[in-house]
Amino acid sequence: MSRVATQQPVSFIDHVTNVSDFIWGGTWYGQQLNIPGTQFPLLPMTFILLGVGLWFMIGLRFYPIVRLGSAIAGLFKGRKGSGSGEISPFAALSTALSGQVGTGNLAGVATAITLGGPGAVFWMWVTAVFGMALAFAEGALAIRYRETTSDGVRRGGPMSYIMIGLGPKWTWLAVLFCIGTLFSALVTGNSIQSNAVADGLHELFGLSEWVGGLLVAFLVFIVIIGGIKSIGNVAEKIVPVMATAYIIMAVIAIALNIQDIPETFARIFTGAFNPQAGVGGFVGASIIAAIRFGAARGLFSNEAGQGSTPIAHAVAQTDNPEQQGQMAMLGTFIDTLVICTMTALVMLTVQGDFTGGGEAVKHAWQSDLQGFAMTSGAFAAAFPFPIGTIPVGTLIASLALILFVFTTLLTWSYYGERAITFIYDRFPGSTRGGEKALHMAWRILWCVVIFIGSFQDLTLVWRMGDISNATMALPNLLALALLSSVVFKLARGDRNAGRDFGLETPEEPNEY
């Protein structure tokens, strides 16, 4: 008590930051906690995420790596549906990717490098590789266990594979997941994204943030009013084009500074295992920072294990769980191992006139720039010639951010909609008509939050985002672990693996 009394009063944001730091960094008000009986630092969420991912990777016999080529080839086959569902398998992947690819791929990568050094990129890769196994499990289970409403609509996600795959006694876990989903949707899926797109519109067109927020809210509402089919249709058209264009521009930027690539990779691998003392004040602190921020931003970006993407994959027009599992793992591969890697290499490799700590530095990551400004600055250095008063590089990065974030706002609205619908269906007297009225209310609320979030200070929201991601991921990871034997059989082609507690009835509350 005496320590607290001699310091400044602890604010709400201090408490939020402390919880975030404990979940991902294993610290409690700045003090590093160790695993009992050892000197190894405790990293709760990182250990859980990578541990469950490793379990699936081994249980799947490295399926995501061995079958990556056939999964890529399956992209072309997935453009047409061959089973029951709402949208094609490819459209489901595009929808999931539109939720994955957002601020995490541009601002999130920059934040990870700022806080964890270049070594954070390596741990982001590790998270993604294990995440591919988690994503396969999510996508496969989403098709194996999904609902059919009284009017024939297919839908699902973790709440469905918990209830249908594990049984009604696990209702509490499904509800807990849905609460975490609503929390995460409003924080990371909405507020952070809307603020980022408003900043991008301000930088490009000089629009006030509230004006940009109002414009985006209106455009989002036009799309989401049509439900998942409308969202999937837009995502299928925008996501492949915007991702391909961004990757091409990033490759060109890196090629213009190709001489620095060996040094860049040396920094990444050295930083990932650098045992020097860092800000944490103990030997190995720099490694812990790299692992912590690489894993945290990796999850924020690719969402593998978080439980969001299977909600999109559940509506795919396929009856083959393995096929959609492959699509899901491709989403993680494209998001992190391709797009995030391109962003990181641009920031670590491109040379320019940057300033860090009052001195000239060569690269954006060494400068005083933070978040998206670091990404934008790196692209501006690669493509400095202006269009009007804006460097082409800044224009590229800003347009990419706007499109990435816009599609993220579309998809996460559906994730929140599914969560709130599931909770509603647990109450006696709920009906399909009541669901549809609730959907409309949610879509209006979603757009109101877009407007409000566009001009808020996000210092607190980013920290709350790390917490909300964990509250959503933990129930899902537990469900995945309990259903792991089913996943392993699905990967071997057994489409009916596992017990099925589902019972289709005309009333949605009696679905299980």
Side-chain angles (χ1 to χ4, degrees), residues 251-265:
V251 168
I252 294 173
I254 295 166
L256 293 173
N257 296 266
I258 195 69
Q259 72 280 356
D260 280 0
I261 280 291
E263 182 183 0
T264 293
F265 278 95

Side-chain angles (χ1 to χ4, degrees), residues 195-209 212 390 402:
N195 193 275
V197 75
D199 286 345
L201 290 171
H202 174 73
E203 185 170 350
L204 280 183
F205 307 111
L207 295 178
S208 298
E209 290 182 340
I390 304 175
I402 290 170

